[in-house]
Amino acid sequence: MAKTILLVDDASLIRSVSSKAAIEAGYNVVLATDGSEGLEKIKQHEIDIVFSDVNMPNMGGLEMVAEIKKDPAYKFLPIVMLTTESKDDLKAKGRALGVKAWLVKPFNKAKFLIALEKLLG
């Protein structure tokens, strides 16, 4: 059975390009436009991995990660930040929250698929 990815990004172009790459690689995709919508989608679907932007309206990616990781059911859910942010302090905060990888935009299909394969095995 195909694994399901939750893609959380307020930029429609990133949602479009990343979901196309994931679907072509044989994954199912669930989309959300911000962290609060991401939290809703995670409750509605069986999600195997999350890719999220950091800066979004309503609720940012790191805030969403903190909320996800409060639930023991998602303790081992791999989360990858896909963002323009590359500051070491943000990456450290992400790691402390349980983020497994940090991909810096612009979107790179090869790196995206490598991260998917590595984290979902």
Side-chain angles (χ1 to χ4, degrees), residues 14-119:
I14 295 296
R15 288 194 312 274
S16 172
V17 173
S18 57
S19 62
K20 184 176 186 284
I23 290 166
E24 286 173 357
Y27 295 95
N28 295 319
V29 176
V30 174
L31 300 173
T33 57
D34 64 35
S36 52
E37 188 181 348
L39 290 175
E40 287 302 310
K41 299 285 175 115
I42 221 164
K43 292 172 190 160
Q44 298 166 358
H45 303 272
E46 284 225 11
I47 302 297
D48 297 294
I49 189 169
V50 176
F51 281 81
S52 177
D53 191 6
V54 171
N55 300 313
M56 297 177 285
N58 302 319
M59 180 187 283
L62 292 176
E63 219 181 320
M64 178 188 72
V65 172
E67 287 301 311
I68 290 170
K69 293 298 183 174
K70 282 180 186 173
D71 186 333
Y74 302 119
K75 183 179 179 182
F76 299 108
L77 178 68
I79 300 176
V80 178
M81 302 315 286
L82 180 59
T83 178
T84 55
E85 294 289 350
S86 60
K87 296 183 196 121
D88 289 338
D89 62 325
L90 278 176
K91 289 180 183 178
K93 185 176 181 185
R95 271 193 302 279
L97 290 170
V99 171
K100 295 291 180 210
W102 197 281
L103 301 178
V104 178
K105 293 175 188 172
F107 180 79
N108 179 310
K109 183 178 176 179
K111 285 182 181 173
F112 175 75
L113 294 174
I114 288 167
L116 261 175
E117 196 58 40
K118 209 172 182 181
L119 292 167

